[in-house]
Amino acid sequence: MKQAPFIAVEGPIGAGKTTLASMLSTELHLPMIKEIVEENPFLDKFYQNIDEWSFQLEMFFLCNRYKQLEDTGLQYIEKAQPVISDYHIYKNLIFAERTLKGVKLEKYRQIYHLLTDDMPKPDIIIYIRADLDTLLGRIRKRGRSFEQEMDPAYLEQLIADYDKGIQFLAEQSPAPRILTVNGNEIDFVENQAQFEQIVSDVKELIE
Ligand SMILES: Nc1ncnc2c1ncn2[C@@H]1O[C@H](COP(=O)(O)OP(=O)(O)O)[C@@H](O)[C@H]1O
Ligand SMILES: Nc1nc2c(ncn2[C@H]2C[C@H](O)[C@@H](COP(=O)(O)O)O2)c(=O)[nH]1
């Protein structure tokens, strides 16, 4: 192994990040960092009125992920131990650029950079791309009540935002290694051979 990898699984809402990160965590014996969703007190309100609740929601996600990243740095990265996460801290900015405007967006950007610029960043990103129909189907399947009325236009915009965001990360220095998974066609849940192919691709990146 070249160095202990810090792997992040990314992709838009419902792409399968948590599912794939959990499966890889088990298969590769990696500790997993899982984002906090159900305990978020603003998510329900946010989906009812995005303009009203976006700043509180984005700040809540940012503060939680900042704490998790700080702990990840201390527990794993500084000890050169591998770890997998079901998100990349940059997802905060992907969402915030979509949900915030004007002064609030500017304040958020400053706080985001202040908190995260010197934090450890994943050196491997597994990016699950999926189209709107696939994501809507998975969100229905997951069945969280507050997500069921999500505006498809919002999700469609996030799909494009994610493509741009991952492209931005690919251009950073040092550039993370990125494995893109076609989430419409590759079914790592039901199809064992397809999951094994992902495992093999990930091993190639880290070994
Ligand atoms: N490749 C897949 N095939 C079928 N169902 C999937 C697949 N990936 C995820 N799911 C299901 O879709 C839903 C959303 O997956 P989840 O991992 O929570 O997505 P995310 O973390 O990206 O929001 C869950 O019900 C999960 O079981
Ligand atoms: N506005 C934001 N919403 C976010 C953010 N991170 C997650 N979420 C939402 C999207 C889903 O409804 C739910 C779980 O996210 P998944 O990507 O795991 O499906 O939380 C964010 O930073 N901003």
Side-chain angles (χ1 to χ4, degrees), residues 122-169:
D123 53 347
I124 295 178
I125 301 171
I126 302 171
Y127 176 36
I128 310 173
R129 294 189 78 232
D131 64 23
L132 185 61
D133 285 347
T134 302
L135 297 178
L136 287 171
R138 301 251 167 89
I139 289 167
R140 257 195 310 276
K141 180 177 172 190
R142 181 163 66 189
R144 284 184 191 137
S145 57
F146 52 81
E147 291 175 342
Q148 300 309 309
E149 301 303 318
M150 192 185 301
D151 183 355
Y154 172 64
L155 197 51
E156 183 107 67
Q157 287 167 332
L158 283 173
I159 293 171
D161 295 340
Y162 257 98
D163 276 341
K164 282 195 207 120
I166 299 295
Q167 183 57 38
F168 172 81
L169 291 175

Side-chain angles (χ1 to χ4, degrees), residues 80-93:
Q81 286 179 13
V83 62
I84 187 164
S85 164
D86 69 349
Y87 67 90
H88 188 299
I89 190 76
Y90 189 67
K91 102 181 253 186
N92 284 286
L93 209 50

Side-chain angles (χ1 to χ4, degrees), residues 12-19 138 141-142 186-189:
I13 304 169
K17 299 178 292 295
T18 306
T19 307
R138 301 251 167 89
K141 180 177 172 190
R142 181 163 66 189
I186 308 285
D187 187 341
F188 44 81
V189 176

